Amino acid sequence: MYKLTKENKQIRDMFSSITGKYDFLNHFLSMNIDKIWRRAAVKMMDLSKDPSVLDVATGTADVAIEVMRQSKGKLRVVGVDFTQAMLKAAIVKTDSAVAAANRGKKRAASFDFVNAPAESLPLKDDLFDYCTIAFGIRNVIDKNAALREMVRVLKPGSEVIILEFSKPKNIVFKTGYNLYFFHVLPAVAGMFSKKGAYKYLPDSVQKFPGDKEFMRMMQDAGFCEVKVKPLSFGIASIYRGKVA
Ligand SMILES: C[S@@+](CC[C@H](N)C(=O)[O-])C[C@H]1O[C@@H](n2cnc3c(N)ncnc32)[C@H](O)[C@@H]1O
């Protein structure tokens, strides 16, 4: 059983404090590019056979809802997060997405939400065809434990899709990006929410391992055929890996 660390609790409190503004700030500060990235990550899944999907660090369920949007809607999505306020928002959003699907006479997905840390998932082995985690793994304190848990709950032959901020490599682009990310973004976000929360964002991206190191961590956890696809000049990346 994983015991939350002091850092886990600080991160949970921080997300709890920004839940109400989370979606607005995400879309506003990224100029809606975050939606394009989530769409690209979900597009990598084969949704034709109604796979079972686990979305770790689901937050307000944007990935879970995107999965339903791109599928025939019959599939099951389980969202896990350790911030109760985020899960409450996820339930409200998925309920209205299901109601909209029903009104449009489309089949809705079924959603379940579980309050748990990524480091210790209260789920049986070999349950899911896909596991997704978007902008989540960076915040997880014991990333190795979380990656091993994803391998454990995924079926043999299934896949993990990890969307995360990364560090752009192009020197010219990097200068403008750093100015925005380290100075403009925390200042603008600070007008709407606690300053610390959006200071934490660039800091945590800086601390996140580089591509090679993170892919090595995925392999060490048990994923094979690990690959990375940079998005938008490397501001974000999608990492994929399979379970043998
Ligand atoms: C930046 S948000 C991402 C939410 C969502 N996936 C999205 O695409 O917008 C990060 C989420 O990770 C959750 N989180 C952070 N550390 C976690 C952990 N160790 N276990 C479970 N959830 C965690 C936070 O509560 C928060 O909801």
Side-chain angles (χ1 to χ4, degrees):
M1 186 56 189
Y2 179 78
K3 195 167 175 301
L4 291 186
T5 65
K6 197 173 129 219
E7 289 93 339
N8 276 135
K9 288 180 187 164
Q10 281 167 349
I11 287 169
R12 191 184 56 186
D13 291 348
M14 192 261 300
F15 278 108
S16 199
S17 75
I18 60 166
T19 299
K21 296 172 187 110
Y22 178 79
D23 284 344
F24 162 71
L25 281 173
N26 252 356
H27 308 326
F28 177 66
L29 294 170
S30 77
M31 294 168 253
N32 278 330
I33 297 174
D34 64 314
K35 293 184 187 171
I36 297 172
W37 292 337
R38 285 192 198 84
R39 220 171 285 152
V42 173
K43 263 212 173 103
M44 291 180 170
M45 299 161 76
D46 175 6
L47 298 173
S48 61
K49 291 184 190 133
D50 298 326
S52 50
V53 180
L54 172 68
D55 185 38
V56 179
T58 194
T60 58
D62 274 352
V63 171
I65 292 169
E66 182 60 27
V67 168
M68 175 165 110
R69 211 186 59 78
Q70 288 189 29
S71 70
K72 281 181 260 143
K74 282 189 291 182
L75 73 190
R76 177 168 181 243
V77 187
V78 176
V80 171
D81 203 289
F82 71 175
T83 306
Q84 189 58 31
M86 283 287 197
L87 289 177
K88 272 193 187 161
I91 291 167
V92 171
K93 269 171 73 176
T94 48
D95 279 354
S96 71
V98 167
N102 289 336
R103 276 196 304 276
K105 306 229 180 315
K106 288 190 198 133
R107 304 221 19 202
S110 79
F111 296 98
D112 289 298
F113 292 98
V114 181
N115 185 335
E119 290 91 338
S120 173
L121 299 171
L123 299 163
K124 289 191 182 143
D125 299 357
D126 302 345
L127 270 185
F128 297 95
D129 300 299
Y130 283 103
C131 174
T132 53
I133 175 164
F135 310 112
I137 193 72
R138 176 175 41 89
N139 304 289
V140 172
I141 298 302
D142 192 341
K143 296 176 182 41
N144 294 315
L147 291 168
R148 283 196 302 272
E149 279 293 81
M150 292 176 204
V151 171
R152 182 181 67 75
V153 300
L154 279 167
K155 293 176 189 170
S158 61
E159 199 175 345
V160 70
I161 296 173
I162 301 175
L163 171 60
E164 191 48 89
F165 285 110
S166 45
K167 290 165 268 219
K169 292 184 179 84
N170 178 296
I171 221 68
V172 179
F173 184 76
K174 204 170 158 173
T175 312
Y177 164 84
N178 283 349
L179 181 71
Y180 178 73
F181 210 52
F182 287 97
H183 300 284
V184 179
L185 184 147
V188 176
M191 294 184 218
F192 298 96
S193 68
K194 278 191 178 173
K195 271 207 168 61
Y198 281 84
K199 166 89 177 66
Y200 163 81
L201 172 63
D203 289 349
S204 63
V205 174
Q206 279 309 104
K207 282 191 202 138
F208 190 66
D211 288 353
K212 281 199 184 125
E213 191 188 342
F214 186 63
M215 287 161 82
R216 165 71 50 206
M217 286 166 71
M218 289 176 69
Q219 282 162 347
D220 290 348
F223 287 110
C224 58
E225 296 178 44
V226 173
K227 20 186 182 209
V228 61
K229 181 178 164 43
L231 304 169
S232 310
F233 302 98
I235 305 178
S237 293
I238 298 176
Y239 304 88
R240 299 166 75 177
K242 287 202 168 163
V243 175

